Amino acid sequence: MKLPCNRPAPSRGTAMAAALAVMAALAPAVSLAAEACTARSAATVPPIVELYTSEGCNSCPPADRWLSRLKSDPGVVALAFHVDYWDRLGWKDRFGSPAFTARQAEQQAANGARFSYTPQVVVDGRDRKDWPGIAVPLGGSRPAASVDLVLAREGERVTATVAATALSPKRLAAWWAITEQGHVTAVKAGENSGATLQHDYVVRDYRTVPAWSPRAGATQSLVYQLPARTEAARPREVNLVVVDADSGRPVQALKLAC
């Protein structure tokens, strides 16, 4: 008998000139070179979408497909965290990590969820059980940014420059994530046995940055050493999300694809 997965987890734990002007204001600027590339955040905060999912959950594939549709909305910062607590149903998710399970549980206090569950969609730091009705591309006005970001990659090293403003929270924190596109899995067991699942924005590395107290006009440098590629030809992006350290809510985000 199949068990539904949209239930609590186990207790453990985005005239032509005008259009171009609007696009320039909303989208981060990206510069690519032979050996280095940079990206600069826009004046507004982009939509930040987190999906908590699992290949062992039979109610997750529709959410995985919905997240893949965000590729039509390049301004969005999207991340799929594969949790590991449904591995016990007979299929081990190769993207699952206890670190992602722990993150989902830790974020409940900030996003408003009463418990961990899959599929869970979090938009701009808020639990969105109504995600099937969220139109893609994501519309609506975006809040002005209280933090400016620049990402620069040289070789396997990415440096972030976080510039605080007079509107910045009293304390900031951040997290890095590597995401990969175009994964396909033929599931052989468990609730999705016989299904071929496609995944985008799969988080393959996740690292947190401790909180700091910014000063308006001052900058903070963060350094991220890229992990080894799991697959040499797999497209991937470096994502940095900066949050209000006290509320946990995101205040700016930026991605770098190079």
Side-chain angles (χ1 to χ4, degrees):
M1 180 179 69
K2 289 193 173 184
L3 301 174
C5 280
N6 53 347
R7 63 183 187 278
S11 58
R12 74 178 192 112
T14 148
M16 178 67 71
L20 290 174
V22 171
M23 291 175 64
L26 295 178
V30 178
S31 173
L32 300 175
E35 298 181 354
C37 71
T38 61
R40 182 181 298 273
S41 61
T44 56
V45 182
I48 303 163
V49 180
E50 303 168 50
L51 169 64
Y52 293 91
T53 185
S54 171
E55 290 185 341
C57 159
N58 63 7
S59 56
C60 286
D64 296 330
R65 292 191 292 269
W66 179 86
L67 194 74
S68 291
R69 291 171 57 198
L70 293 178
K71 288 188 288 186
S72 67
D73 197 350
V76 171
V77 173
L79 310 104
F81 290 96
H82 285 238
V83 299
D84 68 344
Y85 47 76
W86 297 130
D87 289 358
R88 62 183 177 80
L89 297 183
W91 179 256
K92 181 176 175 57
D93 188 333
R94 61 195 173 111
F95 307 117
S97 167
F100 304 158
T101 296
R103 172 178 170 78
Q104 184 183 28
E106 291 164 358
Q107 290 301 301
Q108 289 177 28
N111 63 38
R114 295 176 55 197
F115 44 77
S116 293
Y117 66 97
T118 57
Q120 181 186 22
V121 173
V122 178
V123 181
D124 298 333
R126 296 182 182 276
D127 182 43
R128 294 294 301 267
K129 293 184 175 65
D130 62 339
W131 63 265
I134 301 176
V136 176
L138 303 183
S141 61
R142 299 300 303 168
S146 61
V147 169
D148 297 320
L149 298 180
V150 176
L151 294 181
R153 174 180 175 180
E154 293 190 20
E156 299 305 294
R157 176 186 173 99
V158 179
T159 302
T161 302
V162 185
T165 72
L167 299 177
S168 296
K170 292 181 179 180
R171 295 198 316 138
L172 295 173
W175 48 274
W176 298 93
I178 288 284
T179 53
E180 293 179 348
Q181 310 281 28
H183 281 287
V184 178
T185 300
V187 179
K188 303 297 185 182
E191 292 195 340
N192 289 313
S193 181
T196 298
L197 305 181
Q198 300 185 7
H199 306 299
D200 293 301
Y201 303 108
V202 179
V203 177
R204 303 310 305 273
D205 190 58
Y206 166 70
R207 303 180 202 174
T208 60
V209 178
W212 73 94
S213 298
R215 291 184 295 108
T219 61
Q220 177 83 7
S221 292
L222 310 176
V223 177
Y224 176 64
Q225 191 69 28
L226 291 171
R229 284 183 174 273
T230 55
E231 298 178 41
R234 181 72 56 189
R236 67 178 184 173
E237 295 177 329
V238 179
N239 304 267
L240 178 65
V241 180
V242 178
V243 302
D244 180 329
D246 295 322
S247 71
R249 294 291 170 81
V251 297
Q252 187 54 289
L254 187 59
K255 60 186 177 183
L256 187 62
C258 54

